[in-house]
């Protein structure tokens, strides 16, 4: 017979010729399993397997028998199955090893004959060529439709190239087998909270003029203006025009609107603010009112300070700690009377000092006064969010000139949103441009060339192709913006 033979990359045809009796087409032996049930006749079929494939190959050697025989045995001396091909079996190979004794007899110096018995442990032949099927998007699902022409199951290789971050890979075959990697519930982003300083100012340029009603007291007029006056290197936010005389408190109002956090939300239940202010009378009988108010989205007072002096004769001022009632009303939680002189022992809003703060933590409102932190629990405010800060400066009626307080100025103010949300980008396990190889034949998984079988989700099974039509659907994390590029590679196998 004129049949070429290659084994482990070596052309055996240079050494031997294939003789009569060679047969590469016998199948492996089938092993049918049955089980008798009770006392009934016959048996129940429980399954079927096949054993190894045996390929008998009688051969002969012509000329230079000794050297050719020695070289032949050298090529056959392998420690594991190697690729075996025959010229009459087109585009197929076997992974085989010689088995048993190599029977050989010489027929003189220039001829000999013998027999090699090849065994194929897998029991099948395989295609030499690898077929590649690109996975297509069908009705929104990555799908591979494969018309498999082999007679034995094939074990494909899935190659996954990520075009975006991803946390999960799933593959489901039409035969019902499912394989999953990663984490079905892995998120791409999550919302986290952090304390964010949303304004820190000495110029108050972030505050915009407001001419509407004062939510603490509707009678107070807001038609005036304030601006920066510098004393040395320090800015003083000062009333420079008290506006129209309404016979009551009138002056300026400015509002800072809270910016949206990283999720687009405006407002917070948990806010801290520090401010530095001067409230100091340079003469007896001066009057003024300055306010720091924190408002909700309805322009209702949530908390604040009202520092005022209505004493038109002496030097007595009042610090009022305010909180809203959740319905638009305002309650005074505590009043502190102090002397508006230059002495630190009498006035902690004198020029050298003036530090104060206020905090909302849910329903707890905490103020500052002379080294103490009075705290009040206002349950109505527990879930109320602050969305803006208002600063007001007023004079009473027609009391102008020397009758206006010498200093009732802001020098610095900052606000911290203690519950600012932001979107945190999770670094997912399958980053963009990462490559995953799933070898269903060897049951091995690689990410960027490194073994990753620990990524398998419990219950997964490697997928095989069945003779005939096969459909495999692939899934990624639901939030993936650009689905991965996937190919299916396989070699056909025959019994």
């Amino acid at each position: 017979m004129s049949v070429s033979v290659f084994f482990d990359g070596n052309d055996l045809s240079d050494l031997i010729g294939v003789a009569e009796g060679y047969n590469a087409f016998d199948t492996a032996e089938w092993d049918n399993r049955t089980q008798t049930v009770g006392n009934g006749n016959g048996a129940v079929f429980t399954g079927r397997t096949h054993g190894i494939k045996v390929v008998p190959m009688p051969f002969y050697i012509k000329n230079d028998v000794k050297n050719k025989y020695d070289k032949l045995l050298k090529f056959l001396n392998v420690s594991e199955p190697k690729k075996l091909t025959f010229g009459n079996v087109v585009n197929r190979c076997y992974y085989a090893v010689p088995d048993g004794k190599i029977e050989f007899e010489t027929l003189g110096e220039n001829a000999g004959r013998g027999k090699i018995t090849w065994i194929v442990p897998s029991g099948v032949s395989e295609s030499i060529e690898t077929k590649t099927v690109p996975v297509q998007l069908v009705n929104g699902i990555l799908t591979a439709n494969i018309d498999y022409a082999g007679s034995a199951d094939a074990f494909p290789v899935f190659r996954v190239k990520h075009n975006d971050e991803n946390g999960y890979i799933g593959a489901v075959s039409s035969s019902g087998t499912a394989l999953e990697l990663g984490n079905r519930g892995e998120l791409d982003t999550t919302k986290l909270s952090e304390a964010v300083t949303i304004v820190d100012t000495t110029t108050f340029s972030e505050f915009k003029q407001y001419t509407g009603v004062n939510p603490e007291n509707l009678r107070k007029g807001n038609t005036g203006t304030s601006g920066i006056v510098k004393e040395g290197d320090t800015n003083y936010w000062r009333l420079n025009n008290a506006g129209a005389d309404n016979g009551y408190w009138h002056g300026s109002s400015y509002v800072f609107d809270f910016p949206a956090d990283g999720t687009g939300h405006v407002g917070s239940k948990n806010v801290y603010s520090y401010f530095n202010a001067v409230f100091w009378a340079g003469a007896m009988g001066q009057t003024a009112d300055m306010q720091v108010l924190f408002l909700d989205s309805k322009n209702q007072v949530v908390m604040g300070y009202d520092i005022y002096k209505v004493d038109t004769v002496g030097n007595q001022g009042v610090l009022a700690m305010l909180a809203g009632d959740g319905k638009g009303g305002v309650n005074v939680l505590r009043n502190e009377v102090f002397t508006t002189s230059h002495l630190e022992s009498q006035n902690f809003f004198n020029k050298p000092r003036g530090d104060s703060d206020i905090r909302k933590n849910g329903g707890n409102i905490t103020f500052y006064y002379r080294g103490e932190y009075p705290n009040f629990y206002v349950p109505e405010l527990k879930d109320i969010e602050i969305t803006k800060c208002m600063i007001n400066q007023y004079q009473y009626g027609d009391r102008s000139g020397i009758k206006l307080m010498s200093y009732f100025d802001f020098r610095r103010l900052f606000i911290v949103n203690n519950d600012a949300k932001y979107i945190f980008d999770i670094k997912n396990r399958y980053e963009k441009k990462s490559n995953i190889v799933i070898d269903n034949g060897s049951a091995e998984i690689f990410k960027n060339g490194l073994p990753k079988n620990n990524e398998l989700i419990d219950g997964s099974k490697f997928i095989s192709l069945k003779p005939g039509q096969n459909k495999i659907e692939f899934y990624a994390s639901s939030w993936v913006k650009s689905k991965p590029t996937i190919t299916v590679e396989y070699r056909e196998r025959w019994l």
Side-chain angles (χ1 to χ4, degrees), residues 201-385:
T201 187
T202 59
T203 65
F204 299 90
S205 59
E206 299 85 352
F207 284 74
K208 305 303 179 185
Q209 187 177 12
Y210 172 78
T211 58
V213 297
N214 182 313
E216 179 268 330
N217 187 326
L218 303 182
R219 293 181 60 195
K220 294 180 177 180
N222 293 323
T223 60
T225 60
S226 291
I228 290 293
V229 175
K230 292 189 74 71
E231 292 189 14
D233 294 329
T234 304
N235 289 339
Y236 287 73
W237 181 253
R238 181 167 296 172
L239 180 70
N240 57 28
N241 182 346
D245 180 3
N246 61 355
Y248 192 63
W249 292 110
H250 58 94
S252 72
S253 180
Y254 288 79
V255 171
F256 169 75
D257 291 309
F258 281 21
D261 63 18
T263 68
H265 181 74
V266 175
S268 176
K269 301 174 185 177
N270 305 305
V271 172
Y272 170 80
S273 179
Y274 160 90
F275 65 93
N276 181 275
V278 185
F279 195 80
W280 175 22
M284 294 293 182
Q286 291 182 340
T287 54
D289 183 10
M290 66 187 301
Q291 296 181 315
V292 181
L293 304 176
F294 291 87
L295 315 178
D296 63 14
S297 60
K298 299 177 182 178
N299 265 19
Q300 296 176 352
V301 174
V302 179
M303 63 180 184
Y305 283 101
D306 190 6
I307 308 166
Y308 59 91
K309 183 175 182 293
V310 294
D311 179 3
T312 60
V313 177
N315 205 13
Q316 179 178 288
V318 178
L319 181 149
M321 303 175 188
L322 309 178
D325 62 4
K327 301 175 183 178
V330 182
N331 295 319
V332 177
L333 302 179
R334 176 170 167 176
N335 272 336
E336 291 289 346
V337 178
F338 65 100
T339 300
T340 59
S341 72
H342 67 286
L343 299 176
E344 290 191 15
S345 60
Q346 295 179 339
N347 180 12
F348 78 109
F349 284 114
N350 68 350
K351 284 186 73 173
R353 298 180 65 185
D355 299 309
S356 192
D357 65 4
I358 185 171
R359 181 190 302 271
K360 179 182 185 295
N361 186 19
N364 287 289
I365 310 297
T366 306
F367 301 85
Y368 173 78
Y369 182 74
R370 291 188 177 276
E372 298 179 1
Y373 289 93
N375 180 76
F376 304 89
Y377 182 67
V378 186
E380 297 84 359
L381 301 179
K382 178 182 177 183
D383 295 319
I384 299 296
E385 294 187 334

Side-chain angles (χ1 to χ4, degrees), residues 148-167:
Y148 176 60
S151 58
D153 288 3
F155 300 95
V157 173
F158 303 148
R159 297 190 184 275
V160 183
K161 178 182 178 182
H162 283 100
N163 301 310
D164 201 351
E165 285 191 345
N166 182 27

